[in-house]
Amino acid sequence: MPTTIAVTGRAEERIAPELGAVSLSIGAQGAVREHVHGRTTAAHDRVLAQVRELEASGALDTWSAGQLRVWSYRPWNSEGKQLPLVHQASAEVEVVFSDLARLGEWVGEAAGAAEITIGGIEWRLTDATRRRVQEDAQRAAVADALAKARVYASALGLGEPTPVELADHGMLSAQPMPGAPKAMMMRTAAEFGGGPQGAEFAPAQLVIEASVDARFTAAGA
């Protein structure tokens, strides 16, 4: 009677990022609503002008800008006393660079403005590359599962294992866990410092992981 062998195959592919998505917030606060709105609007217009120049030069993949929001609130001090009204304005912008060298230069310049806060950099791949690398990882995970099954079969003195079931990790278990990862892309954030000389960062490689569960049968050699 054939012996059933169940294994999990895992693999990962590493690749340098192709895109860098910079998220930033443009905003100001103060006691006079008109001044706050004016400062934020001027900074917002400057940033969008720079972004359009970058887009025209071919340095960007995409970009987006949210609407300017203005609101007011009354803070409290440590003694429980309500302080005068404070007005605040902000707008969010995301700029996705395909030219990573220009990204560093621009982040250094942008970080020097008082109205701008850099939220971070997210390293990405293009959709076509991500699909290709993920498929490579999935194929490698299947090969890993087969290699493990062959080791177990050999250890038991059995012949070549024959695949009978294959699924994303967690799908073959008796009680699959909801949300178990099938293929995961890990992104890394850059550490950077602002200043007129530009930002310094080293984008780490992205890791695409894949896991599969498989069942094989093997009979006596």
Side-chain angles (χ1 to χ4, degrees), residues 118-187:
I118 304 296
I121 301 174
E122 183 182 54
W123 304 112
R124 300 176 181 174
L125 298 173
T126 62
D127 290 341
T129 299
R130 178 174 48 78
R131 285 193 297 268
R132 174 180 59 80
V133 177
Q134 184 169 321
E135 288 174 2
D136 290 343
Q138 290 169 327
R139 290 189 178 94
V142 172
D144 181 58
L146 178 57
K148 289 178 178 178
R150 283 173 172 161
V151 170
Y152 294 143
S154 175
L156 294 171
L158 304 176
E160 179 71 9
T162 300
V164 293
E165 284 187 283
L166 179 70
D168 289 324
H169 180 55
M171 297 294 290
L172 294 185
S173 61
Q175 294 180 334
M177 295 178 62
K182 301 173 184 178
M184 179 178 65
M185 177 170 167
M186 298 176 62
R187 298 188 176 114

Side-chain angles (χ1 to χ4, degrees), residues 34-113:
E34 291 75 15
H35 292 173
V36 170
H37 185 274
R39 283 178 58 197
T40 305
T41 299
H44 189 258
D45 291 345
R46 287 196 303 271
V47 168
L48 293 191
Q50 294 172 4
V51 169
R52 292 188 179 99
E53 290 179 3
L54 289 166
E55 182 180 38
S57 72
L60 302 185
D61 180 65
T62 59
W63 65 275
S64 62
Q67 292 185 336
L68 179 65
R69 299 177 294 112
V70 183
W71 68 95
S72 304
Y73 65 96
R74 290 185 180 275
W76 299 79
N77 64 14
S78 59
E79 299 176 352
K81 180 180 179 181
Q82 195 168 30
L83 301 177
L85 195 66
V86 174
H87 304 283
Q88 191 162 347
S90 72
E92 307 301 319
V93 176
E94 182 183 71
V95 187
V96 183
F97 283 79
S98 54
D99 186 336
L100 300 186
R102 294 289 297 278
L103 182 156
E105 297 173 2
W106 187 75
V107 166
E109 296 171 0

